[in-house]
Amino acid sequence: DTEVTQTPKHLVMGMTNKKSLKCEQHMGHRAMYWYKQKAKKPPELMFVYSYEKLSINESVPSRFSPECPNSSLLNLHLHALQPEDSALYLCASSQAGRLGQPQHFGDGTRLSIL
Amino acid sequence: AQTVTQSQPEMSVQEAETVTLSCTYDTSESDYYLFWYKQPPSRQMILVIRQEAYKQQNATENRFSVNFQKAAKSFSLKISDSQLGDAAMYFCAALRSSGTYKYIFGTGTRLKVLA
């Protein structure tokens, strides 16, 4: 069973649309991550939240807007995306406050921009 | 800056045989953590094994073990008795211990298991 749940699993949107990706975990993890992954490539870090505060933003374009409304939820708001933004978007979580903790990944949302 | 290198884009192994996937890393940190993750096609990425750099003993998880050579900055993964379900993309990753959540991933090795 996937302990990190991502919805939707697939999303097709036009370049002018606004949509959101959702990620939820109930493992008590206080670090949550968004990654972008292209086919046959490693995940690229986008954002990290620790204790519900944005701690890392890897210079991601402003058309991607993260939000962490509580310790279990992580959203990624999308607006005016480009075709090159088509990718698998992975959410992950890990324990915070303890060194070297592994990440738990969701199944991802496969995003296609028309 | 940390870097992680996986020099084998693709590997093949016969079912029931043993295969070793290579990973090297570069860091100026004295303390860090190393991971191997497995990502089957269209499926979730999962942790295979974790190594703490300050521990000399190589980590082992059932059929999976690592050969950690700290001086050489090498962290290879050995899969024994390979099974068809081991076919996946394998990523090596490194994490500094100094209060950061930035995991550095290698480029991955695609493992094929031949029946």
Side-chain angles (χ1 to χ4, degrees):
Chain A
D1 286 345
T2 303
E3 296 172 316
V4 176
T5 304
Q6 290 188 243
T7 54
K9 293 194 183 307
H10 301 273
L11 179 61
V12 179
M13 57 187 286
M15 289 190 284
T16 57
N17 292 156
K18 286 185 181 181
K19 295 285 185 183
S20 297
L21 309 185
K22 180 179 172 182
C23 174
E24 191 168 5
Q25 57 87 17
H26 295 286
M27 294 179 283
H29 291 172
R30 301 298 293 278
M32 296 186 76
Y33 311 74
W34 280 116
Y35 287 91
K36 174 184 178 181
Q37 188 180 27
K38 291 281 200 179
K40 300 184 180 181
K41 298 290 186 183
E44 299 171 34
L45 184 64
M46 300 175 72
F47 304 103
V48 181
Y49 276 82
S50 62
Y51 299 98
E52 295 84 69
K53 291 190 185 335
L54 185 64
S55 62
I56 297 179
N57 177 343
E58 289 288 275
S59 302
V60 178
S62 59
R63 57 186 184 267
F64 295 91
S65 175
E67 178 195 21
C68 190
N70 61 53
S71 60
S72 300
L73 280 175
L74 185 66
N75 298 320
L76 186 63
H77 303 298
L78 315 172
H79 175 54
L81 295 193
Q82 304 298 306
E84 62 265 27
D85 297 323
S86 297
L88 182 68
Y89 287 83
L90 294 172
C91 175
S93 69
S94 68
Q95 289 188 33
R98 287 184 60 192
L99 297 176
Q101 295 304 299
Q103 296 178 302
H104 297 248
F105 286 86
D107 287 339
T109 293
R110 191 161 297 283
L111 178 64
S112 298
I113 307 300
L114 301 178
Chain B
Q2 280 189 317
T3 59
V4 176
T5 301
Q6 294 179 250
S7 59
Q8 306 153 317
E10 193 168 293
M11 295 279 286
S12 295
V13 62
Q14 206 69 34
E15 199 175 4
E17 297 294 309
T18 295
V19 65
T20 299
L21 308 184
S22 300
C23 173
T24 58
Y25 59 92
D26 189 16
T27 180
S28 56
E29 304 281 326
S30 59
D31 197 14
Y32 47 90
Y33 299 83
L34 299 167
F35 308 86
W36 278 99
Y37 285 92
K38 168 186 177 182
Q39 188 176 35
S42 301
R43 292 187 63 189
Q44 182 191 14
M45 187 172 321
I46 59 172
L47 176 70
V48 175
I49 203 162
R50 170 180 176 266
Q51 176 79 41
E52 298 162 343
Y54 63 86
K55 288 188 176 179
Q56 291 186 333
Q57 187 173 6
N58 290 325
T60 300
E61 287 287 344
N62 301 314
R63 298 183 294 108
F64 298 88
S65 62
V66 298
N67 184 3
F68 175 48
Q69 301 288 328
K70 191 170 184 177
K73 296 184 178 177
S74 170
F75 181 60
S76 59
L77 175 70
K78 185 172 88 170
I79 306 174
S80 304
D81 185 25
S82 297
Q83 300 175 0
L84 294 177
D86 295 333
M89 196 76 167
Y90 286 81
F91 292 102
C92 178
L95 177 67
R96 287 164 36 194
S97 67
S98 50
T100 178
Y101 298 101
K102 192 167 181 178
Y103 296 74
I104 307 298
F105 285 86
T107 51
T109 296
R110 179 166 299 280
L111 179 67
K112 294 183 177 180
V113 181
L114 308 173

